[in-house]
Amino acid sequence: MRIFNWERRWKMPGRWGILGASFLARGACGSRTRENPKETPGAPEESPEPCLASKCQDETVGKKDTLRGRWLATRRTTHELWLIGKALVSTRHVVQAHIIPIRRCNLDCAYCNEYDEVSAPVPLEEMHRRIDKLAELGTSLITISGGEPLLHPELDDIIRRIKHHGRVAGLITNGYLLVPERIERLNRAGLDHLQISVDNLKPDDVSKKSLKVLDQKLVHLAEFADFHENINSVLGSGVNNPEDALVIAERARSLGFTSTVGIIHDGSGQLRALGPVERNVFERIMDMSKGSYSRFNHFQRNLAEGKPNDWRCRAGSRYLYICEDGLVHYCSQQRGWPGVPLARYTPADVRREFRTRKPCATHCTVSCVQQTSYIDHWRAPQHLDPLPSPRHALDREAAESLVQIETESGD
Ligand code: SF4
Ligand code: SF4
């Protein structure tokens, strides 16, 4: 399952908001399933009334408008501008990594292929080793994803380790376990960015990540969080009411958050053009952010129209996906390539993958990798082919599936 997220910068979120919120935008909140969300301690009751944006516009919003809130945002922006400058100067280091501390999730969204019901948390010492290694590879932004990362009992210590290395720390969560005390703990750990996907206004058989359920969580975030928040809404296959995305985006705006919209594709992971109603919603959301960075990015419009994109995917180099087993993958949708342990990943691997073309690029919808790779769009053509994956070396069917992507893309 693939999601393309299109970022709207409602408010100044810090410069990484241009890249950062999009970096966060990919992640666990993306792909397939069964029926009801599992019983989870701390899971929220539905909000008494679904909050429609028009009703909430005048609500008082907390920390972001204080002197301290503005100072924190300025400090975050300055740090992130420096990291972007560093990424532009040298291509020899990783820019962003997604890291999975736990594969388990407390929900079971019908479109998700990135969770299970049983996995144990990765031990803290092992997470420390992986973060240390990412820092050694020069990684600027480390985003914690899942599964549901808030289920990891030592998440705060994982964030602290990222901040210990002076890197930007991001978190993708379904938000169900957020309460004021948990938000304050994330503040103290030093979290920089958080993203929640809100898929619809009311729970249905596809997703329980609903504004009706999560609105109170968003209000708590607005009141208590020191970090930047991005709210992702979705369009496409399995979304019953496309207009929900508009209401969710407006609600995010009213609370002072940034907002992105993702395109969900069908269960086979294929790119499919949006229908007329969805296109209309997509265009209306685009119109809301005239003058933003996104207007210069044609990726999302091509994807909405089902057209291919011409770009150089720098996965395995500027972007890494580290699974719960500590293996490096191109991204969440190409797990198995290169599929080698992070502990053995070297600067030479980073340089090789920088010049390795990815046959699946043409119809790729993994926005965080696209945004990361855009930094180097103008340089270094790719002429190498992907190395055989150790995991798939003996798996003929899987190996052929990568070839099939290559054929389809015509790349
Ligand atoms: S909440 Fe859990 S099941 Fe739903 S998209 Fe995120 S990781 Fe997948
Ligand atoms: S083009 Fe890159 S980011 Fe997209 S699916 Fe392929 S490896 Fe992943």
Side-chain angles (χ1 to χ4, degrees), residues 78-98:
T78 306
H79 183 210
E80 291 167 359
L81 276 173
W82 183 83
L83 291 174
I84 288 175
K86 180 183 158 200
L88 284 167
V89 168
S90 169
T91 62
R92 294 184 167 227
H93 66 91
V94 179
V95 175
Q96 178 181 202
H98 274 93

Side-chain angles (χ1 to χ4, degrees), residues 236-275:
S237 177
V239 176
N240 294 324
N241 301 301
E243 298 275 348
D244 287 4
L246 211 49
V247 177
I248 292 161
E250 287 175 354
R251 177 57 173 154
R253 178 188 186 188
S254 76
L255 289 168
F257 305 152
T258 59
S259 173
T260 54
V261 62
I263 299 174
I264 300 180
H265 296 281
D266 61 28
S268 65
Q270 294 301 300
L271 180 65
R272 188 172 63 84
L274 295 181

Side-chain angles (χ1 to χ4, degrees), residues 28-31 105 107-109 111-112 114-115 146-148 174 209:
C29 292
S31 307
C105 188
L107 299 185
D108 51 5
C109 304
Y111 55 80
C112 182
E114 298 184 41
Y115 78 100
E148 172 46 53
N174 60 40
K209 296 187 296 184

Side-chain angles (χ1 to χ4, degrees), residues 161-183:
R161 192 70 166 201
I162 296 171
K163 297 310 295 178
H164 165 78
H165 288 290
R167 311 308 155 115
V168 178
L171 179 69
I172 298 173
T173 170
N174 60 40
Y176 265 58
L177 301 177
L178 287 174
V179 292
E181 183 270 339
R182 192 73 191 83
I183 295 168

Side-chain angles (χ1 to χ4, degrees), residues 338-353:
V340 300
L342 175 64
R344 296 209 307 262
Y345 217 66
T346 67
D349 293 316
V350 171
R351 287 199 293 278
R352 185 196 67 246
E353 291 297 344

Side-chain angles (χ1 to χ4, degrees), residues 311 313 315 330-331 334 358 360-361 364 366 369:
W311 66 295
C313 171
Y330 282 161
C331 65
Q334 289 294 358
K358 311 304 185 304
C360 38
C364 171
V366 184
V369 185

